[in-house]
Amino acid sequence: MGQSDAAWALLGTTIRLAQTMGLHTERSTMHLPEYVRTKARALWSTIVWQDSLLCLCYDRPPIVSASGWPLDNSLIERQGLSYTEIMHFICRVGLDILGPEGLGITAVDRAIEYLRHFDSVHQKSQPHLYSRENCTTLKQHLEHLALKMHTSFCVSVACRPAMKQAQVQPPHSDILRSRAKGSLIDASRAFLDFQALSVVPLRSWSMVHTVLSSTLLLCMWEETRNDPECRDLQQRVIDVFSSSDSRSDDGTTSEPDSQWLSARHIRALVTLRGALDREGDPSTENENAATGSNTVPFDGNFESYLEMPNAFDISPVTYLDSIMNVPMFDFTQENGFL
């Protein structure tokens, strides 16, 4: 489901249990049969996958480490990598992105290096992952689109220094800005294509987060704010969420207390809709200026309306963080908690 907050809490418990079992290092499984060690490695790699994506989504430090199991060197050398193999590699790079900056290495130089890693592994992927024209089955289409979404999200995160820092100089600025724009558009397109084939993108916290963060950045970033193609993608994404409800996969309606989207994703969706409404109706901005209001109007069908500051005078990444990374709990309302 789209409940990324619940995923964060439950994954933390899962990681600690896995560490208690010794799944996090090859050394702690040396006494086990080979087939058990293979399963242990696969399970820990899956946990790393989930923690890496969650931490990239919310810019939080990971609690997993991939260093306990050596990287399969064949991933660097051979061709025809599968979806799972590429995702494991991408998530390892994601952990590096989340790590501390190296001495003497600028954020821009790190971003360029990450892009090289992403491009290199993509070129070694199986044909259906490299190009959708090579897909012949539904599974191949779904794998292609899922990989496109995850890779585009990671590329956009790696390129965020160019969205944060106006002083980034050419040629790096041109490269990072171009790749950032392309990745945000690709993520949005892949989501739209994916949801036309399957309900998975609307029920996966990582894909929901990817498309909402991508479309919000397209809406706020000066490079894409007035691009007709980007505006069209944003509207189509809103239409998809507006027409979707909290029905389960078997077509029945879920219980009222089973919220489909997390609060932060609802907040992002409301903000996106409000920003598009404001841009589509210039008189709204004039009315806000006359009344001293700096909020984003919203009159859609979502359950809540959230007042947000004007995003266009701050970094788009900073504004995105103010929406996506709000605390789960308001400690000021809990007397005696702190």
Side-chain angles (χ1 to χ4, degrees), residues 160-235:
R160 285 184 182 179
M163 288 185 268
K164 292 179 180 178
Q165 305 172 19
Q167 68 271 23
V168 177
Q169 299 298 318
H172 287 161
S173 62
D174 297 336
I175 295 173
L176 293 183
R177 284 175 175 265
S178 175
R179 292 296 298 271
K181 179 179 178 179
S183 65
L184 296 175
I185 292 175
D186 286 345
S188 302
R189 284 177 177 168
F191 170 84
L192 292 169
D193 291 342
F194 203 157
Q195 64 83 32
L197 299 176
S198 169
V199 73
V200 169
L202 288 166
R203 296 296 183 265
S204 165
W205 60 261
S206 59
M207 293 184 178
V208 168
H209 187 101
T210 292
V211 71
L212 290 180
S213 61
S214 297
T215 49
L216 269 174
L217 287 172
L218 287 174
C219 181
M220 296 180 291
W221 192 22
E222 69 276 5
E223 294 279 332
T224 56
R225 187 184 305 160
N226 299 315
D227 189 313
E229 179 187 10
C230 296
R231 293 288 300 277
D232 178 65
L233 286 172
Q234 295 158 35
Q235 187 60 58

Side-chain angles (χ1 to χ4, degrees), residues 255-284:
E255 295 297 324
D257 60 348
S258 179
Q259 187 167 291
W260 171 39
L261 294 174
S262 64
R264 67 185 73 239
H265 289 152
I266 294 176
R267 184 183 180 92
L269 195 55
V270 169
T271 304
L272 177 63
R273 176 63 179 271
L276 285 179
D277 286 349
R278 180 175 63 179
E279 291 185 12
D281 184 6
S283 63
T284 303

Side-chain angles (χ1 to χ4, degrees), residues 59-331:
D59 193 23
R60 296 171 181 171
I63 60 174
V64 300
S65 171
S67 61
W69 290 92
L71 179 65
D72 184 359
N73 291 328
S74 66
L75 292 178
I76 303 174
E77 302 170 355
R78 61 186 172 87
Q79 300 290 325
L81 299 180
S82 69
Y83 169 74
T84 302
E85 290 172 330
I86 294 177
M87 281 303 303
H88 287 321
F89 181 85
I90 288 175
C91 288
R92 278 180 174 255
V93 177
L95 293 180
D96 289 339
I97 294 175
L98 293 163
E101 294 186 8
L103 295 177
I105 303 177
T106 67
V108 172
D109 289 336
R110 292 181 71 199
I112 295 295
E113 184 63 23
Y114 296 142
L115 293 181
R116 292 196 186 102
H117 288 315
F118 292 137
D119 293 343
S120 175
V121 73
H122 179 64
Q123 292 172 0
K124 298 174 182 177
S125 63
Q126 294 175 353
H128 73 279
L129 298 174
Y130 188 79
S131 172
R132 197 176 179 189
E133 295 179 355
N134 298 321
C135 297
T136 58
T137 66
L138 177 60
K139 179 183 178 182
Q140 289 182 348
H141 279 283
L142 298 183
E143 285 188 346
H144 174 89
L145 294 170
L147 184 62
K148 175 70 74 174
M149 286 197 70
H150 291 311
T151 303
S152 297
F153 173 70
C154 291
V155 168
S156 70
V157 173
C159 293
R160 285 184 182 179
M163 288 185 268
K164 292 179 180 178
Q165 305 172 19
Q167 68 271 23
V168 177
Q169 299 298 318
H172 287 161
S173 62
D174 297 336
I175 295 173
L176 293 183
R177 284 175 175 265
S178 175
R179 292 296 298 271
K181 179 179 178 179
S183 65
L184 296 175
I185 292 175
D186 286 345
S188 302
R189 284 177 177 168
F191 170 84
L192 292 169
D193 291 342
F194 203 157
Q195 64 83 32
L197 299 176
S198 169
V199 73
V200 169
L202 288 166
R203 296 296 183 265
S204 165
W205 60 261
S206 59
M207 293 184 178
V208 168
H209 187 101
T210 292
V211 71
L212 290 180
S213 61
S214 297
T215 49
L216 269 174
L217 287 172
L218 287 174
C219 181
M220 296 180 291
W221 192 22
E222 69 276 5
E223 294 279 332
T224 56
R225 187 184 305 160
N226 299 315
D227 189 313
E229 179 187 10
C230 296
R231 293 288 300 277
D232 178 65
L233 286 172
Q234 295 158 35
Q235 187 60 58
R236 289 170 62 192
V237 168
I238 288 177
D239 291 343
V240 167
F241 281 97
S242 298
S243 62
S244 301
D245 55 25
S246 56
R247 292 184 181 275
S248 61
D249 293 344
D250 60 3
T252 60
T253 303
S254 60
E255 295 297 324
D257 60 348
S258 179
Q259 187 167 291
W260 171 39
L261 294 174
S262 64
R264 67 185 73 239
H265 289 152
I266 294 176
R267 184 183 180 92
L269 195 55
V270 169
T271 304
L272 177 63
R273 176 63 179 271
L276 285 179
D277 286 349
R278 180 175 63 179
E279 291 185 12
D281 184 6
S283 63
T284 303
E285 187 171 352
N286 295 332
E287 291 175 5
N288 288 344
T291 60
S293 172
N294 200 30
T295 61
V296 176
F298 175 72
D299 56 2
N301 296 321
F302 304 108
E303 294 182 357
S304 60
Y305 167 77
L306 300 169
E307 293 188 352
M308 297 298 298
N310 192 326
F312 300 145
D313 55 357
I314 61 175
S315 161
V317 176
T318 300
Y319 187 65
L320 179 67
D321 287 341
S322 73
I323 298 170
M324 291 294 198
N325 295 334
V326 292
M328 291 177 60
F329 307 104
D330 184 358
F331 297 125

